[in-house]
């Protein structure tokens, strides 16, 4: 069994990652989204986006040789056209979407949580009736207005990446709803 050495230092928004041989990469960002530039490691820059606390993340390596012609590839078959590196078999995408939905319901709207109370009191519907909210905020809140609306929104995802984007938008909507409800003092006893 081999051991790995990893050390990092943060200076402003940049994180310098060190390995045994010195500086290995420089990162920008934090929880939820980061951009990593290699210095002494193989590969190209990498962008990572995730949903903090859920274990869901998505990573893309930007190929530094993008201008060179791609090598000949075997046909992908029935999974051709999927934007993901992981190709789902029939039914796996539905299972993935259901899993995302379960995590969202458990994390954002669990029994006894502020999210559940917001749903029970129809506070999102009340927020949507407020003409002072911008159309972007109203569109965001509409995705989680009711449990059924959130489920329908997430289950319309066409790919793994689309499901992740929709799940992230639901998290963003729940945070915005909680912020607006608390700012208006609607949940104070």
């Amino acid at each position: 069994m081999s051991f790995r050495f990893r050390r990092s230092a943060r200076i402003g928004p940049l994180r310098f990652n060190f390995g045994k041989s010195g500086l290995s990469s420089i990162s920008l960002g934090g929880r939820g989204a980061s951009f990593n530039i290699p210095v002494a490691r193989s590969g190209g820059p990498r962008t990572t986006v995730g949903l903090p606390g859920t274990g869901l993340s998505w990573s893309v390596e930007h190929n530094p040789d993008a201008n060179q012609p791609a090598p000949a590839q075997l046909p992908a078959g029935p999974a051709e056209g999927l934007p993901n590196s992981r190709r789902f078999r029939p039914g796996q995408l539905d299972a993935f979407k259901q899993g995302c939905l379960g995590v969202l319901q458990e994390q954002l709207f669990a029994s006894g949580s502020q999210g559940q109370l917001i749903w029970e009191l129809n506070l999102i519907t009340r927020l949507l009736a407020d003409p002072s909210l911008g159309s972007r905020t109203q569109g965001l809140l509409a995705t989680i207005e009711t449990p059924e609306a959130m489920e329908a929104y997430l289950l319309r995802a066409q790919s793994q990446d689309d499901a992740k984007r929709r799940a992230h938008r639901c998290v963003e909507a729940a945070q915005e709803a909680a912020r607006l409800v608390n700012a208006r003092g609607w949940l104070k006893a």
Side-chain angles (χ1 to χ4, degrees):
M1 177 165 100
S2 63
F3 290 96
R4 290 176 53 195
F5 172 79
R6 182 177 161 209
R7 182 75 182 148
S8 64
R10 184 174 283 281
I11 299 176
L14 299 177
R15 176 175 296 209
F16 297 88
N17 303 304
F18 299 92
K20 283 186 202 177
S21 60
L23 182 65
S24 65
S25 65
I26 301 171
S27 300
L28 176 66
R31 287 181 55 133
S34 66
F35 183 72
N36 185 285
I37 303 166
V39 174
R41 70 166 173 82
S42 61
R46 179 178 299 272
T47 301
T48 303
V49 178
L51 296 171
T54 65
L56 297 174
S57 67
W58 176 66
S59 200
V60 170
E61 185 168 340
H62 306 282
N63 188 357
D65 302 323
N67 295 334
Q68 296 181 358
Q73 295 179 354
L74 296 173
E80 188 172 295
L82 282 179
N84 310 308
S85 59
R86 179 175 177 200
R87 297 192 173 138
F88 286 126
R89 291 187 201 115
Q92 285 183 315
L93 179 59
D94 292 333
F96 179 76
K97 292 189 287 189
Q98 288 293 337
C100 287
L101 182 62
V103 168
L104 287 173
Q105 289 172 337
E106 180 182 314
Q107 297 293 322
L108 302 176
F109 301 101
S111 180
S113 70
Q114 182 182 20
Q116 181 193 27
L117 192 57
I118 288 173
W119 264 350
E120 287 178 356
L121 299 174
N122 292 321
L123 296 180
I124 296 175
T125 304
R126 191 170 162 191
L127 284 169
L128 289 171
D130 185 352
S132 68
L133 292 181
S135 60
R136 183 197 180 283
T137 303
Q138 287 183 339
L140 183 66
L141 294 176
T143 62
I144 63 163
E145 182 177 5
T146 63
E148 296 81 13
M150 184 174 80
E151 180 178 0
Y153 176 71
L154 191 61
L155 295 181
R156 282 194 305 268
Q158 298 296 309
S159 67
Q160 180 182 8
D161 292 338
D162 189 23
K164 289 177 184 179
R165 278 190 294 274
R166 288 171 184 262
H168 188 278
R169 188 167 164 86
C170 289
V171 170
E172 186 182 344
Q175 292 169 341
E176 183 67 11
R179 186 189 69 77
L180 290 169
V181 164
N182 289 330
R184 287 165 171 74
W186 290 347
L187 291 179
K188 291 183 180 176

